[in-house]
Amino acid sequence: MVAVLAAGALSVGGMGGVAQAADINVAKNAGFESGLANWSCSGGSGAVVGSPVRSGAAALRGTPAGQDNARCSQSVAVQPNSTYTLSAWVQGGYAYLGAGGTGTTDVSTWTPGESGWKQLTTTFRTGASTRAVTVYTHGWYGQSPYLVDDVSVFGPDGGGGSDPDPDPQAPATPAGLGVGAVTTSSVALSWNAVSGATGYNIYRDGTKVQTASGTSATVTGLAAATSYQFQVSATNAAGESAKSAAVSGRTSPGGGDPGGPAVPRHALTGYWQNFNNGAAVQKLRDVQAQYDIIAVSFADSTTSPGQIVFNLDPAVGYSSVAEFTSDVAAKKAAGKSVIISVGGEKGNVTINSDASATAFANSAYALMQEYGFSGVDIDLEHGINSTYLTKALRQLSAKAGSKLVITMAPQTIDMQNTGTEYFKTALAVKDILTVVNMQYYNSGSMLGCDGQVYSQGSVDFLTALACIQLEGGLDASQVGIGVPASTRGAGSGYVSPTIVNNALNCLTRGTNCGNFKPSRTYPALRGAMTWSTNWDATAGNAWSNAVGPHVHALP
């Protein structure tokens, strides 16, 4: 994907004090019933259509093409020092909604594509002299056209008049539902705030069990070692929203945990190659001691969907399986976690049914017993089904216990928002997930959490994309930065260890940032990952020698 242009801003100086005015929708032609009046669309990319529409007889259709993201905007009159709720209903391809020139913090929100109408909502506050704000919507380069209807900028009348005041509406569906701490009898939940909501309903396995006034709750009275499905809805005087996407939470077992080293607070992850591709050939015993998690790459699929096996490649020099398992045991004795990685560029394990989920869990657990692996790494690059992969990982967790190590290595496109299958899986298994080491390489330009576009190879690319996961529901301890160990380790995206360490400092301490600086720090950030220990060894272990001590010294 190519870069999305940042929204333009328009600010007009104000005069005098703030007038008191009734809250209205200050957007004009908000339902596009008067064509494109009051709206300006880039390069003729916008058109009014009669179907599909959400209400009335018209809606806006924006068609991205080439270097044009189909941006349509309008300048609305506002009052200084005032709060406005910006919303619109969208459908079709990637759709963005935002406000610029607010005089305070510009805002935006987006969705990756909807088959039906979905409401996007955000809020902004105007500055002390702000009299006009630009509201806009746009799509994404190379993506399908998007539709917009019923735009609302609801707040004090700025003196420009408005469309009729819209009727009160039930709030939007909550997003970002995730599982936090669990005990033998409770599961903690949290979710993103919904504009206009006055309360929230919490559902367990489809039944309403409690309410909350804020964006978190702990569901109690649960059975030990049991999985539950949770959803949440938002409420106000106008009604209740639809229920959120369901997430799974499993209570802790009542008994003890199996043996195995604990992953340290700040950990270095490295992939070990079970093949020879020109990098230094290693046995596990040769892997640099800085690595806390060693992902054996890769498991092999079978003709049975979901089932995995492991075959030692003669190219790595082991004389027997017993010699390999001895190395695994030695690493574990040294406090390291050795896990089996599933997927990779050429690996294709299909988990898309209850049967294949069970086959995965059973076969992965069998490999753990046979070789001494401490867990699994999910590196599937050919598409995943979050529903069944979640089931597979939970079944494996039920077999292996709470010391099971689960890591993930999604590509950047897989973690751009909480609606992707990878992100949904990570949130659904949050209570048993160790770390997500996203691959910040072999990637085009991507959106950061601030809505700006960043190119790989910079500290901003690492920090602004990590921020999406950190603010999207994952705990900081579940986020790591994945990079190549050398220029030969990936097709693109190599950054020096100095840049990696700067990104770690920026996220954990707020220092050494580039242009992007997160709004808060994340001292519990898990650490960093590299492909691979072999390419690291080829370069004299320069990466692990520089990044490893830095990771272990994080706050």
Side-chain angles (χ1 to χ4, degrees), residues 5 16 81 101 180 194 261 327 333 335 338 341 363 382 418 465-466 484 496 514 536:
L5 296 177
N81 294 323
V194 175
D327 275 5
V338 182
S341 183
S363 58
H382 300 278
T418 56
L465 268 68
S496 70
D536 186 24

Side-chain angles (χ1 to χ4, degrees), residues 101 109 136 142 145 161 191 226 232 294 338 351 368-369 405 506 554:
T109 182
Y136 64 89
W191 55 90
T226 303
V232 64
I294 304 168
V338 182
I351 306 171
M368 291 175 64
Q369 293 178 304
V405 175
C506 179
L554 290 174

Side-chain angles (χ1 to χ4, degrees), residues 244-323:
S244 69
V247 298
S248 296
R250 182 178 178 84
T251 51
S252 303
D257 292 325
V263 176
R265 172 179 170 85
H266 298 298
L268 200 70
T269 301
Y271 285 80
W272 174 81
Q273 297 178 186
N274 181 41
F275 51 85
N276 182 0
N277 66 346
V281 174
Q282 292 181 311
K283 293 184 178 180
L284 280 179
R285 71 192 73 153
D286 303 322
V287 173
Q288 225 259 35
Q290 291 289 343
Y291 291 101
D292 304 292
I293 302 175
I294 304 168
V296 172
S297 311
F298 292 99
D300 298 311
S301 60
T302 72
T303 56
S304 298
Q307 186 181 59
I308 59 173
V309 295
F310 178 65
N311 299 298
L312 265 174
D313 190 330
V316 300
Y318 279 104
S319 61
S320 65
V321 170
E323 184 188 2

Side-chain angles (χ1 to χ4, degrees), residues 122-485:
T122 185
T123 61
F124 63 88
R125 185 164 181 82
T126 56
S129 60
T130 304
R131 291 284 183 177
V133 168
T134 297
V135 296
Y136 64 89
T137 184
H138 65 72
W140 184 272
Y141 301 97
Q143 298 298 313
S144 303
Y146 67 96
L147 294 153
V148 179
D149 204 355
D150 298 330
V151 179
S152 176
V153 188
F154 197 66
D157 186 358
S162 71
D163 282 355
D165 189 357
D167 293 333
Q169 295 180 331
T173 303
L177 177 61
V179 172
V182 298
T183 69
T184 56
S185 61
S186 68
V187 173
L189 303 171
S190 62
W191 55 90
N192 297 340
V194 175
S195 177
T198 56
Y200 301 90
N201 293 333
I202 296 93
Y203 292 82
R204 184 190 70 216
D205 295 332
T207 300
K208 179 181 171 182
V209 291
Q210 64 191 74
T211 61
S213 58
T215 57
S216 63
T218 298
V219 181
T220 59
L222 308 178
T226 303
S227 292
Y228 297 90
Q229 294 282 317
F230 298 97
Q231 293 170 284
V232 64
S233 66
T235 62
N236 63 14
E240 181 181 11
S241 74
K243 297 184 186 72
S244 69
V247 298
S248 296
R250 182 178 178 84
T251 51
S252 303
D257 292 325
V263 176
R265 172 179 170 85
H266 298 298
L268 200 70
T269 301
Y271 285 80
W272 174 81
Q273 297 178 186
N274 181 41
F275 51 85
N276 182 0
N277 66 346
V281 174
Q282 292 181 311
K283 293 184 178 180
L284 280 179
R285 71 192 73 153
D286 303 322
V287 173
Q288 225 259 35
Q290 291 289 343
Y291 291 101
D292 304 292
I293 302 175
I294 304 168
V296 172
S297 311
F298 292 99
D300 298 311
S301 60
T302 72
T303 56
S304 298
Q307 186 181 59
I308 59 173
V309 295
F310 178 65
N311 299 298
L312 265 174
D313 190 330
V316 300
Y318 279 104
S319 61
S320 65
V321 170
E323 184 188 2
F324 175 77
T325 57
S326 177
D327 275 5
V328 173
K331 282 295 184 182
K332 290 175 68 175
K336 313 300 181 183
S337 297
V338 182
I339 61 178
I340 182 67
S341 183
V342 181
E345 179 183 359
K346 298 180 180 179
N348 188 10
V349 178
T350 302
I351 306 171
N352 59 4
S353 66
D354 286 326
S356 59
T358 298
F360 176 86
N362 289 342
S363 58
Y365 187 59
L367 293 182
M368 291 175 64
Q369 293 178 304
E370 180 179 0
Y371 294 96
F373 297 134
S374 298
V376 295
D377 169 68
I378 304 301
D379 188 19
L380 297 171
E381 298 182 2
H382 300 278
I384 65 173
N385 182 306
S386 61
T387 298
Y388 293 106
L389 181 55
T390 296
K391 289 184 176 183
L393 293 174
R394 291 209 169 275
Q395 289 182 46
L396 178 59
S397 175
K399 293 174 177 291
S402 62
K403 287 189 177 179
L404 173 70
V405 175
I406 298 177
T407 69
M408 294 183 178
Q411 301 172 96
T412 53
I413 190 64
D414 295 320
M415 301 298 284
Q416 278 280 276
N417 65 82
T418 56
T420 67
E421 292 299 292
Y422 246 113
F423 215 139
K424 287 194 292 186
T425 302
L427 293 176
V429 298
K430 181 178 176 181
D431 55 311
I432 57 173
L433 176 65
T434 306
V435 63
V436 176
N437 291 304
M438 190 174 73
Q439 302 175 44
Y440 293 78
Y441 51 94
N442 294 338
S443 166
S445 298
M446 288 288 155
L447 283 168
C449 68
D450 58 352
Q452 303 301 308
V453 175
Y454 297 94
S455 299
Q456 65 179 3
S458 66
V459 67
D460 288 332
F461 188 76
L462 303 181
T463 55
L465 268 68
C467 175
I468 297 175
Q469 300 170 62
L470 293 162
E471 293 298 320
L474 292 181
D475 188 81
S477 66
Q478 296 172 317
V479 177
I481 295 174
V483 294

